[in-house]
Amino acid sequence: MQFNDYEKNIEKLESITKRLEEENLPLHESVALYEEGMKLHQELKKCLTETKGKVQRVNVEELSLEPWEEMPDEI
Amino acid sequence: MKALSVTEISEYLKKILRSDYLLSNVTVRGEISQMTKTASKHCFFSIKDKNDAVLNCVFFRVKDHMDDFRIGMEIIVQGAITTFPARSNYQLVATSVSMHQEGVLYKQLELLKQKLQEEGLFLQDKKRPIPKVPKAIGVITSSTGAAVHDLMHVIHRRMPMTDIIIYPSLVQGIDAPKALVQGIEFFNAFDGVDTVIIGRGGGSFEDLFAFQEEVVVRAVAASKHPIISAVGHEADVVLTDHAADLRAPTPTAAGELATLAQHQLHDTLDHLKQQFEKAFIEKLDDETLYLSHLYERLERKNPMTLCLAFERQLEACQMRLNYSVQRQLEQRDHTLAMFETTLQAHNPYAVLRRGYAFVTKQNAVVSSIKNVKPQESIEITLYDGKINAKILKIEKGDTNAV
């Protein structure tokens, strides 16, 4: 899972929970939702702990992105 | 000790002040609190500071330019501190008076602020919320100095998964406003960030001035992405702070305001997990309850249960039957035993022991002399054996008579 999709998936997990809380949900659907929720939770957890954000700088001349490196002589 | 005259002490003081290196040529900053111009073109005025310390000043034979000065203005007065013996006080005799540069800037700033405010650039209801889980944060600041490092450190300490894109910009000097605006425009044209932080570390009033420039303030107000202004220290408030969606007192604080702490994300996630687990368990409990209710209803109609009941009935019948048969058998046994005893008492063989014998002929009992003839073979049975005999003679007699 990409960290980009984190919030979207959190919303999905919330809607799974809401659906699970519905009274007239058939059991087989509950089980399927529960499994889906557990899987999603695991992926979200993994995404939180394993994603490492990049630091990039804008090349002002070329308006492109490049990896961040220290440039001590720059003001 | 000789007593000095008042004039003597006054003259002495005057001499001391004149000979003092600092007091003979001093520059003082203050706000005009009082001002009188005389017909002879002298200007008497006082300046004060925020502690309400007051310094009397005089500018002899001033030119026209003193006309621009008003009470409340921040000015810089250069001159010498002298005493006026007739009043026993001291004053600053000015050689030049100028408007304090900051004072001018403040004035201009005040006007600009008012103008932009009237245009609605600072309206609270225009402020957008700062995304709490940013995928990427754009930072417009100097690529050197503490601010950029503090920001990167704080953002990645709190949310290691967030990308940081730094737009290196001048943050002071004549070219800074243009560079800052270009930074904002760069991110406006770039969809990859959720939040923009514009700022710099602490500096003098002049150092921070780029963030007061109209073009920069307007660009901040028009930023496509939610923008945080983080300029200088807590006490420094610049116009971009008003125009931004959020003002951070320092760049470090901006890093905090732009992110959630990682544990908060984990907490939210764990809470959600608990919630859906609880929902699922409740669902299961409901189903289990319903199932056991159904089971009970079904069980009541279970043919096996009915069979068992019959079986038990049957077993009871069988037991009763067995019991009564056994009782009857026992009764019969008893009766039989009694018969046996009686029979035993009447056993003919038992009589043989007392010396009696019985006679048979060809296995038929001979109970009368009429049944035999002389010379026929007979068998005499005694208690311990048999005798084969031949009849010699038959005599009629009556045993009853014995």
Side-chain angles (χ1 to χ4, degrees), chain B residues 29-138:
Chain B
R29 194 177 109 189
E31 184 189 308
I32 303 171
S33 60
Q34 203 187 359
M35 191 158 65
T36 339
K37 284 171 199 167
T38 64
S40 48
K41 298 251 181 185
H42 302 323
C43 180
F44 294 91
F45 59 98
S46 311
I47 56 172
K48 63 166 191 181
D49 63 11
K50 59 183 176 188
N51 298 324
D52 283 336
V54 175
L55 179 65
N56 293 330
C57 308
V58 56
F59 200 177
F60 296 115
R61 287 186 291 278
V62 289
K63 308 272 173 354
D64 296 342
H65 72 268
M66 266 311 262
D67 292 345
D68 296 340
F69 293 88
R70 301 272 182 279
I71 287 173
M73 277 187 181
E74 186 103 355
I75 57 170
I76 289 175
V77 187
Q78 199 179 1
I81 301 284
T82 65
T83 62
F84 185 49
R87 289 221 191 108
S88 182
N89 65 5
Y90 64 92
Q91 70 259 308
L92 177 61
V93 177
T95 53
S96 81
V97 178
S98 60
M99 217 179 279
H100 181 242
Q101 190 55 27
E102 273 188 26
V104 179
L105 291 176
Y106 273 125
K107 206 92 204 160
Q108 289 173 347
L109 268 182
E110 225 19 72
L111 288 171
L112 178 59
K113 187 178 171 188
Q114 209 175 337
K115 181 174 103 176
L116 297 176
Q117 201 153 24
E118 279 164 12
E119 278 185 39
L121 257 70
F122 305 156
L123 283 176
Q124 277 306 316
D125 53 13
K126 276 180 71 179
K127 311 279 183 212
R128 293 162 293 185
I130 305 299
K132 286 294 175 197
V133 190
K135 269 55 92 184
I137 298 177

Side-chain angles (χ1 to χ4, degrees), chain A:
Chain A
M1 183 189 296
Q2 297 282 310
F3 187 55
N4 271 347
D5 301 328
Y6 184 82
E7 274 183 314
K8 201 175 77 192
N9 281 306
I10 280 278
E11 277 168 25
K12 200 168 161 193
L13 193 54
E14 276 166 346
S15 76
I16 287 177
T17 308
K18 273 203 195 96
R19 191 99 171 77
L20 265 174
E21 284 166 347
E22 278 172 24
E23 262 182 30
N24 297 322
L25 189 72
L27 188 61
H28 70 276
E29 279 184 39
S30 299
V31 174
L33 280 173
Y34 178 75
E35 278 172 2
E36 194 185 344
M38 284 302 269
K39 201 171 147 224
L40 201 55
H41 173 266
Q42 222 167 15
E43 283 174 18
L44 282 162
K45 203 81 180 166
K46 196 173 159 203
C47 177
L48 270 194
T49 45
E50 290 182 6
T51 312
K52 293 276 171 274
K54 300 187 286 288
V55 182
Q56 291 170 294
R57 62 150 63 217
V58 179
N59 181 323
V60 179
E61 270 81 44
E62 294 174 14
L63 293 182
S64 58
L65 297 181
E66 52 193 40
W68 166 262
E69 276 159 33
E70 297 291 327
M71 292 197 170
D73 51 337
E74 197 177 335
I75 298 166

Side-chain angles (χ1 to χ4, degrees), chain B residues 190-231:
Chain B
F190 183 77
D191 278 333
V193 291
D194 301 285
T195 311
V196 173
I197 297 173
I198 187 166
R200 54 157 293 154
S204 69
F205 178 80
E206 287 83 5
D207 288 344
L208 309 185
F209 208 77
F211 296 86
Q212 312 270 31
E213 289 285 349
E214 186 170 348
V215 280
V216 180
V217 181
R218 285 191 184 280
V220 167
S223 169
K224 182 179 154 192
H225 306 287
I227 188 163
I228 302 176
S229 168
V231 179

Side-chain angles (χ1 to χ4, degrees), chain B residues 32 54 88 134 142 183 188-189 191 245 262-263 274 282 303 307 327 345 356 379:
Chain B
I32 303 171
V54 175
S88 182
S142 165
N188 284 348
D191 278 333
D245 293 295
Q262 207 182 2
H263 74 85
Q274 280 173 3
E282 272 171 15
C307 279
R327 261 192 59 192
Y356 294 96
E379 211 169 44

